[in-house]
Amino acid sequence: MNEFSRTTDERADSPPIFTVTSAESIQSLVVSGEIDIQSRADFAACVDDLISERHPFVVDCSDVQFISVGGLSIIETLSAKARRLGVPWTLIAAHPVRRPLSLLKMDADIVFTDSVAEAVAYLSATAIMDETLAEPMSA
């Protein structure tokens, strides 16, 4: 298991923690705490690192208690970039993240899953489907 953790500052209130793990060759970015003006650059850097590898991935925001509009914009941009590059991904998000994405209609192209296990199953099935579609048909 590959693991990387980083806190953005020394605030007493919920400083975000970004942890990257890998399960079944699918990387997951697990975010906890708050994504606000002080932490959005670190959040953006973490998601850029994930998508730059062009492999399926999960962003797990189930432990995020607050996300600013800037953080929501990062997720929306990530979704558009992943779609453009053909990189499958899923978002695990509790109410503080999922609700504003929905209200602001930023969730149209986001696949939501409820757990890392569900996300890995979905992304594994997507990878198998992509491989099947890429195989040439026999005569």
Side-chain angles (χ1 to χ4, degrees):
M1 180 190 282
N2 178 16
E3 191 166 319
F4 167 79
S5 295
R6 168 175 36 174
T7 59
T8 58
D9 58 31
E10 298 299 321
R11 293 179 297 163
D13 60 342
S14 236
I17 299 172
F18 303 98
T19 306
V20 178
T21 62
S22 184
E24 296 184 35
S25 73
I26 295 174
Q27 286 196 322
S28 298
L29 171 64
V30 181
V31 184
S32 62
E34 298 181 353
I35 302 171
D36 57 17
I37 194 162
Q38 294 177 340
S39 61
R40 71 176 181 203
D42 287 334
F43 180 53
C46 288
V47 296
D48 282 345
D49 288 347
L50 277 178
I51 198 159
S52 68
E53 294 184 24
R54 296 190 180 195
H55 296 291
F57 64 90
V58 179
V59 176
D60 181 351
C61 291
S62 57
D63 287 331
V64 172
Q65 293 90 33
F66 171 82
I67 188 166
S68 67
V69 173
L72 295 172
S73 179
I74 290 167
I75 293 173
E76 182 183 40
T77 301
L78 169 66
S79 180
K81 187 173 184 179
R83 185 178 60 254
R84 188 175 65 252
L85 295 173
V87 177
W89 75 289
T90 66
L91 177 65
I92 303 169
H95 186 77
V97 175
R98 197 171 190 157
R99 180 77 172 144
L101 282 169
S102 175
L103 288 173
L104 295 170
K105 300 191 183 326
M106 300 170 105
D107 63 345
D109 295 317
I110 297 173
V111 175
F112 290 95
T113 52
D114 293 324
S115 68
V116 172
E118 183 181 322
V120 169
Y122 167 78
L123 293 170
S124 295
T126 301
I128 291 169
M129 179 68 78
D130 288 346
E131 289 171 9
T132 303
L133 293 174
E135 291 177 7
M137 296 188 65
S138 301

